[in-house]
Amino acid sequence: MKSVIFLLDTAPYGSEKAFGALNAAAVSLNTMNAVLGLYGDGVYLALAGQYSRSPGVPNLADILYAYGELRVLVHEPSLLERGLFGETLIETLELADDEDFFEAVESSDCVILL
């Protein structure tokens, strides 16, 4: 089976990147081993209790919960840099240090940067 990792370094709201990455990873689950990697500002998507403030904007945390089988790696150093390490995170996500995060990237057949 082929594998793909979608890398997201953009905050979850304010652009379509996070929504697109989540949906692309979810759709890919049917045909390959898909992983969503959150780093940089993308780690804000890992926070529990988030909600979108604009009408018509989907709550991205709900999508993560709906696709609980999707493996989501959260870059731990990015959490630390943003002061989020002590915050409550969505429980289905995996924390990854630099070594584990980059191992997941290197072992994937395809890397998609968003």
Side-chain angles (χ1 to χ4, degrees):
M1 177 183 281
K2 296 279 185 185
S3 61
V4 61
I5 186 166
F6 295 87
L7 296 176
L8 178 67
D9 70 344
T10 306
Y13 302 100
S15 80
E16 293 286 324
K17 289 182 180 182
F19 181 73
L22 267 173
N23 283 298
V27 168
S28 299
L29 284 172
N30 294 328
T31 57
M32 63 184 69
N33 180 19
V35 176
L36 177 62
L38 305 177
Y39 72 104
D41 286 344
V43 298
Y44 286 103
L45 183 55
L47 295 175
Q50 59 181 280
Y51 64 95
S52 56
R53 296 178 183 199
S54 301
V57 175
N59 184 319
L60 300 181
D62 289 345
I63 297 172
L64 282 174
Y65 284 115
Y67 292 99
E69 68 274 20
L70 176 63
R71 183 175 180 215
V72 181
L73 291 178
V74 182
H75 187 236
E76 200 171 277
S78 294
L79 285 172
L80 287 168
E81 289 170 7
R82 286 155 183 79
L84 300 175
F85 194 71
E87 298 295 321
T88 303
L89 304 178
I90 295 171
E91 54 278 345
T92 59
L93 311 183
E94 298 176 41
L95 293 180
D97 60 16
D98 278 333
E99 185 178 336
D100 291 340
F101 195 85
F102 293 119
E103 165 68 27
V105 172
E106 290 175 353
S107 67
S108 294
D109 295 318
C110 182
V111 177
I112 300 175
L113 302 169
L114 297 167

